[in-house]
Amino acid sequence: MLKIYNTLTRSKQEFVPKQPGKVGMYVCGMTVYDYCHIGHARVMVVFDTVARYLRHAGFELTYVRNVTDIDDKIIQRAKENGEAFTDLTERFIQAMHEDERALSVLPPDIEPRATQSIADIIRMISKLIEREFAYVGSNGDVFYAVNRFHGYGKLSGKNIEDLNAGERVDVDNAKRDPLDFVLWKMAKPGEPYWDSPWGQGRPGWHIECSAMSTCCLGNHFDIHGGGMDLQFPHLEIEIAQSDGATGEPFVNYWMHNGFVRVNEEKMSKSLGNFFTVREVLKQYRPEVIRFFILSSHYRSPLNYSDEQLDEASAALTRLYTALRGVEIGDAQMNSEYQQRFEQAMNDDFNTPVALAVLFDLARELNKAVDKSKLANTLKQLAAILGLLQEEPDNFLQGGVVSDGLAETEIERLIEARKVAKANKDWTQADSIRDQLKAQGVVLEDLAGGNTSWRRES
Ligand SMILES: [Zn+2]
């Protein structure tokens, strides 16, 4: 039985989909004006793993993750670059897809873009005006009237009185109440716009998600995910918009992943401790990043440091080493390990415990005489986490991309050492071994005179 921690009730609840056997899941996607950073990578990997596990558990899943391809930051950045905003967003959507592929993140089933959902967005805003949840402000922008919606604050645990008290006296006289937020924004001269009943403009950020999720999954669906930092106000606003427009409940289970921290500080652009996926990939292999992300529970903070990534790299090396040279048959999985793995994942996707099961399995595999079934089990369970799908030799010999000896050079030295050994020139053979070791390449002599090698992690 799968249990999911629901932010709305602040408890782990048994997962019961709306329709037996079917699951709809929406995750707030990227705003595409820059490269994805490790915080984005975490959202991608966490919900990709959730999707993989739901499918493994037999659910027919529709996974929707949107792309925000119009907003103030995009317009600003395109202006700075002197390019069309669509050129900017197209480029970063491509870059995002490259990062995803590198991290073995499977594409969502539907990836709606805001600029392609304008008609749905306009329809939803019209509905909100009709139901008196929204109004046109004195500047022509359309606003949501927060005080019309009872239950605002229920997701993030805030109440309207506190929020009002915290709000500075608003200089924006266009809205009736400082808490009200914009649904449709009038275009300034030179800005991109779409025609609407309220004039030429563009959608506010929040309404995009409400429109794109309900369009793809219906008014009421099972799981809504995103980063913890979105809880307030973005997701609170999504509830107000969707409930307000449809009069139906919106989402049954709210899942939020924790922050990424760098050397125990919150990762942020202003602190300058900010890493894009591309930067990290220069130093670490993509699977190491994925393993690192899954080594913490998704709701815990994830601490980014070289030390943590080195540990992830060493851990993956241990798992791949267990699979190396083992014939993987199509045997059934070992049911004991499968059960333990599923037990961990059924407990609110507890990936650190699931990984611990894989290590127990690898230890037994190392000692086993008949390895095929255990190896098959290891590889199949790891696939649910998007791990261990490379050829072990590829992983173990791949090493860090930038420096390090080329593969052909390593093979040449191994061959030279073989010749030295054949000539009983032990000094020369040892010296080659030491030379390789100094450059991070470890040799292992196998029965029959062959030598395998791997890069030190
Ligand atoms: Zn959203």
Side-chain angles (χ1 to χ4, degrees):
M1 182 182 65
L2 173 62
K3 283 189 168 180
I4 297 181
Y5 183 89
N6 188 352
T7 311
L8 197 61
T9 59
R10 286 174 177 65
S11 64
K12 275 187 212 171
Q13 287 176 282
E14 185 185 338
F15 178 65
V16 184
K18 253 190 79 196
Q19 256 184 291
K22 289 193 175 171
V23 179
M25 176 165 84
Y26 181 88
V27 171
C28 296
M30 285 5 116
T31 301
V32 283
Y33 69 102
D34 212 335
Y35 291 113
C36 295
H37 56 65
I38 292 296
H40 299 129
R42 188 175 197 193
V43 178
M44 288 174 177
V45 169
V46 161
F47 288 100
D48 176 58
T49 306
V50 168
R52 284 169 187 256
Y53 188 68
L54 288 170
R55 291 201 168 104
H56 166 78
F59 292 108
E60 192 186 309
L61 170 71
T62 307
Y63 175 22
V64 182
R65 198 189 57 208
N66 76 302
V67 175
T68 296
D69 60 349
I70 181 73
D71 92 328
D72 292 347
K73 284 184 290 260
I74 290 172
I75 294 172
Q76 178 65 26
R77 182 64 60 87
K79 208 165 141 190
E80 284 163 19
N81 293 352
E83 64 182 331
F85 85 95
T86 44
D87 290 345
L88 176 86
T89 53
E90 214 40 67
R91 195 164 65 249
F92 285 110
I93 288 171
Q94 293 310 322
M96 174 181 80
H97 287 159
E98 281 167 27
D99 291 344
E100 280 179 289
R101 280 193 293 272
L103 296 170
S104 298
V105 169
L106 302 172
D109 299 296
I110 313 176
E111 195 180 55
R113 297 186 187 183
T115 58
Q116 293 165 0
S117 313
I118 300 290
D120 295 319
I121 292 169
I122 289 175
R123 212 170 302 133
M124 189 171 248
I125 298 174
S126 303
K127 227 28 277 148
L128 285 167
I129 293 177
E130 196 185 303
R131 293 170 57 95
E132 293 177 24
F133 284 101
Y135 61 93
V136 180
S138 57
N139 63 352
D141 290 355
V142 181
F143 295 99
Y144 189 98
V146 167
N147 67 6
R148 286 273 299 129
F149 184 71
H150 307 292
Y152 190 74
K154 67 182 175 184
L155 180 72
S156 49
K158 297 178 192 294
N159 68 57
I160 290 220
E161 289 72 39
D162 292 348
L163 289 170
N164 270 325
E167 199 72 27
R168 284 177 300 121
V169 179
D170 205 88
V171 285
D172 183 357
N173 291 321
K175 38 184 185 175
R176 292 180 194 159
D177 189 307
L179 285 182
D180 293 353
F181 53 86
V182 71
L183 297 168
W184 187 264
K185 221 172 180 160
M186 300 306 285
K188 295 192 190 80
E191 285 183 350
Y193 65 81
W194 288 263
D195 288 322
S196 82
W198 319 284
Q200 295 175 334
R202 64 177 185 276
W205 171 46
H206 307 297
I207 191 74
E208 295 175 9
C209 275
S210 282
M212 287 187 269
S213 58
T214 50
C215 278
C216 299
L217 296 171
N219 292 345
H220 179 197
F221 58 91
D222 299 296
I223 301 176
H224 189 307
M228 203 164 271
D229 48 337
L230 293 182
Q231 243 179 70
F232 190 84
H234 178 63
L235 300 176
E236 204 67 72
I237 286 176
E238 273 192 45
I239 295 177
Q241 292 168 154
S242 301
D243 273 19
T246 68
E248 289 178 48
F250 180 34
V251 167
N252 286 351
Y253 300 85
W254 289 86
M255 290 181 65
H256 297 108
N257 64 273
F259 293 117
V260 177
R261 299 161 65 82
V262 179
N263 298 323
E264 305 298 345
E265 275 187 316
K266 188 180 175 221
M267 186 169 82
S268 80
K269 269 188 172 158
S270 56
L271 288 169
N273 58 357
F274 199 77
F275 298 98
T276 66
V277 172
R278 269 142 213 262
E279 282 165 341
V280 183
L281 281 176
K282 284 183 191 150
Q283 216 188 331
Y284 294 96
R285 315 186 59 202
E287 196 173 347
V288 171
I289 302 176
R290 187 169 177 116
F291 185 98
F292 157 70
I293 290 171
L294 295 176
S295 62
S296 288
H297 188 266
Y298 74 90
R299 283 189 285 119
S300 311
L302 178 68
N303 196 44
Y304 178 95
S305 67
D306 284 348
E307 204 185 3
Q308 297 281 335
L309 279 149
D310 289 340
E311 267 176 35
S313 181
L316 259 182
T317 299
R318 284 207 298 282
L319 292 176
Y320 267 118
T321 304
L323 286 175
R324 190 179 211 182
V326 180
E327 195 70 51
I328 294 176
D330 46 11
Q332 289 249 306
M333 279 208 267
N334 174 300
S335 58
E336 187 205 322
Y337 283 109
Q338 184 183 351
Q339 265 172 25
R340 284 178 57 199
F341 180 91
E342 287 171 353
Q343 210 170 19
M345 292 298 280
N346 282 340
D347 181 18
D348 192 28
F349 308 97
N350 198 332
T351 53
V353 175
L355 284 172
V357 174
L358 298 189
F359 280 102
D360 288 348
L361 176 47
R363 260 190 297 276
E364 190 176 335
L365 175 58
N366 285 334
K367 288 181 286 189
V369 183
D370 184 4
K371 291 175 186 278
S372 162
K373 186 173 184 174
L374 289 170
N376 183 39
T377 310
L378 177 56
K379 203 166 168 181
Q380 282 199 46
L381 294 178
I384 299 167
L385 304 177
L387 297 171
L388 293 188
Q389 300 307 297
E390 260 196 77
E391 279 301 313
D393 276 339
N394 284 351
F395 181 88
L396 296 167
Q397 300 181 344
V400 174
V401 206
S402 50
D403 42 0
L405 276 183
E407 204 176 314
T408 48
E409 182 62 9
I410 297 168
E411 302 286 357
R412 192 189 65 74
L413 286 166
I414 290 175
E415 208 39 51
R417 178 166 166 269
K418 204 169 161 186
V419 174
K421 279 167 81 178
N423 295 334
K424 299 200 170 11
D425 185 351
W426 308 117
T427 322
Q428 172 70 358
D430 286 349
S431 132
I432 291 172
R433 173 190 282 271
D434 294 345
Q435 183 191 339
L436 283 165
K437 170 98 177 114
Q439 301 199 61
V441 176
V442 183
L443 302 186
E444 280 160 50
D445 290 322
L446 309 170
N450 287 325
T451 302
S452 77
W453 62 274
R454 64 176 171 85
R455 295 188 201 268
E456 264 180 320
S457 48

